Amino acid sequence: MKFKIPQTLEGIAHILDCEYVGSADFPVLGMNEIHVVQPGDIVFVDHPKYYDKALRSQATIILINKKVECPKGKALLISDDPFRDFNKLTNHFNPFVSARAVIAESAVIGKHTVIQPNVFIGNNVQIGNDCLIHANVSIYDNTVIGNNVTIHSGTVLGADAFYYKNRPEKFDKLISGGNVVIKDNVDIGALCTIDRGVTASTSIGEGTKLDNQVHVGHDSVIGKRCLIASQVGIAGCVLIEDLVTIWGQVGITSGITIGEKAVISAQSGVSKSLPGHKSYFGTPADEFRKKYKEIASIRLIPDIIDKLDKLK
């Protein structure tokens, strides 16, 4: 998330009421999670296990809960609770604005786009030309939809990320300040849910087709011309490259990559990154032929045990 107006280190420290390390006029251009940070961004870290990763990242301002040696060319914000203060910055620079109409006045809707009854379109939404949005679709603030996109009834674009910190007294929610981006020629089935990014965009690439009841988690990026069948669950921060096919009821864990032209068979559980140009099956998902050989071998076990018992 980039700030509309560049900030300074001193200014951000004043908002958070915290100490800082670095020049008072050190430029602060935005804030992001560590997997999408760029120079000028703030990233937060609150566990020693991840200090080095944050300090070595592309982020140039690190919101951290311990005063450490500051890398050259970077700055620190010292906070007793970086998670809380990251939320404070999201609320400050991208506050929630309640809807005043079913279709916001600030929404931009292209030529020949059809909006069916009972569709909600939030603040600053952009919808391209020749789209068809069916009844009872909810499109949250700042969503961007390209041209020739079809979205079927009951789908929700832009719900919050499923991201919580487990504190002793409760689960503390990380506030979502990102959005959803749908590229041209995408079809989205009924009752799909696509969560917005925490600070960046959850995006669906050009020509991709989603069946009914597909869930896409926060900050996931789906490439061009992918086919995703019904009841697939994709966790947050997943990268699915171009021309991937995912059949029904596949579950995909967070933070992994599915390579180009991979095919994942129905009811598979994907727990690690999978190279492209191969077919996969099973839980945990593995190469199709290898997995079926394993299943065939397992079926032989009772006969093997029976033969061993007879030898005794």
Side-chain angles (χ1 to χ4, degrees):
M1 180 173 69
K2 296 300 181 185
F3 301 144
K4 293 178 181 178
I5 300 173
Q7 305 293 312
T8 65
L9 184 66
E10 184 179 45
I12 297 295
H14 178 74
I15 293 169
L16 300 180
D17 191 23
C18 73
E19 185 181 352
Y20 64 89
V21 176
S23 173
D25 61 355
F26 192 93
V28 185
L29 307 180
M31 53 188 288
N32 268 311
E33 285 192 282
I34 196 162
H35 61 283
V36 288
V37 288
Q38 298 174 350
D41 284 346
I42 300 169
V43 69
F44 84 91
V45 61
D46 57 5
H47 195 289
K49 181 179 178 180
Y50 303 109
Y51 283 175
D52 284 346
K53 184 177 181 180
L55 292 165
R56 295 174 185 271
S57 73
Q58 290 292 308
T60 43
I61 305 94
I62 294 85
L63 177 61
I64 191 169
N65 58 344
K66 180 181 179 181
K67 187 178 284 189
V68 297
E69 185 177 349
C70 183
K72 185 178 179 181
K74 300 194 177 188
L76 304 179
L77 292 159
I78 312 301
S79 166
D80 64 326
D81 193 334
F83 188 98
R84 177 203 65 208
D85 283 344
F86 200 75
N87 275 343
K88 187 181 290 187
L89 291 176
T90 300
N91 278 328
H92 182 87
F93 290 104
N94 189 16
F96 172 74
V97 178
S98 61
R100 296 185 177 181
V102 175
I103 298 178
E105 291 183 3
S106 57
V108 177
I109 300 172
K111 296 179 180 179
H112 310 301
T113 286
V114 176
I115 308 295
Q116 294 285 75
N118 299 323
V119 170
F120 170 75
I121 299 177
N123 300 304
N124 305 311
V125 168
Q126 299 176 43
I127 303 176
N129 303 325
D130 302 302
C131 296
L132 174 56
I133 314 296
H134 285 278
N136 302 312
V137 168
S138 293
I139 303 174
Y140 285 35
D141 294 359
N142 305 309
T143 297
V144 178
I145 298 172
N147 301 315
N148 193 35
V149 171
T150 298
I151 304 174
H152 286 276
S153 294
T155 283
V156 178
L157 304 183
D160 286 348
F162 190 71
Y163 194 138
Y164 295 86
K165 183 178 179 66
N166 189 4
R167 298 191 187 274
E169 68 281 5
K170 64 175 183 177
F171 289 110
D172 198 1
K173 183 176 184 176
L174 187 64
I175 296 170
S176 298
N179 72 337
V180 170
V181 176
I182 309 296
K183 300 295 180 66
D184 296 349
N185 304 312
V186 170
D187 291 346
I188 300 175
L191 299 174
C192 293
T193 52
I194 302 176
D195 292 346
R196 59 180 163 165
V198 171
T199 53
S201 299
T202 304
S203 65
I204 311 296
E206 183 177 354
T208 285
K209 312 299 182 185
L210 274 60
D211 196 0
N212 303 324
Q213 297 181 322
V214 171
H215 172 75
V216 181
H218 70 90
D219 293 285
S220 286
V221 176
I222 298 176
K224 298 178 182 179
R225 293 180 58 195
C226 294
L227 287 174
I228 302 177
S230 63
Q231 298 182 356
V232 167
I234 300 168
C237 305
V238 171
L239 172 60
I240 297 175
E241 296 181 350
D242 298 344
L243 300 165
V244 169
T245 300
I246 304 174
W247 295 115
Q249 297 186 335
V250 169
I252 301 176
T253 195
S254 63
I256 65 171
T257 297
I258 309 298
E260 183 180 72
K261 292 187 177 180
V263 177
I264 305 175
S265 293
Q267 295 192 330
S268 295
V270 183
S271 59
K272 63 180 181 180
S273 293
L274 300 176
H277 301 272
K278 294 181 179 180
S279 295
Y280 299 93
F281 168 72
T283 303
D286 209 335
E287 289 185 49
F288 195 88
R289 290 183 179 179
K290 180 181 176 183
K291 204 70 181 181
Y292 269 99
K293 284 181 180 178
E294 289 178 0
I295 293 170
S297 298
I298 290 169
R299 288 173 178 169
L300 295 174
I301 290 174
D303 288 339
I304 293 171
I305 292 173
D306 186 53
K307 289 177 181 178
L308 288 173
D309 287 340
K310 288 178 180 179
L311 287 174
K312 292 178 182 178

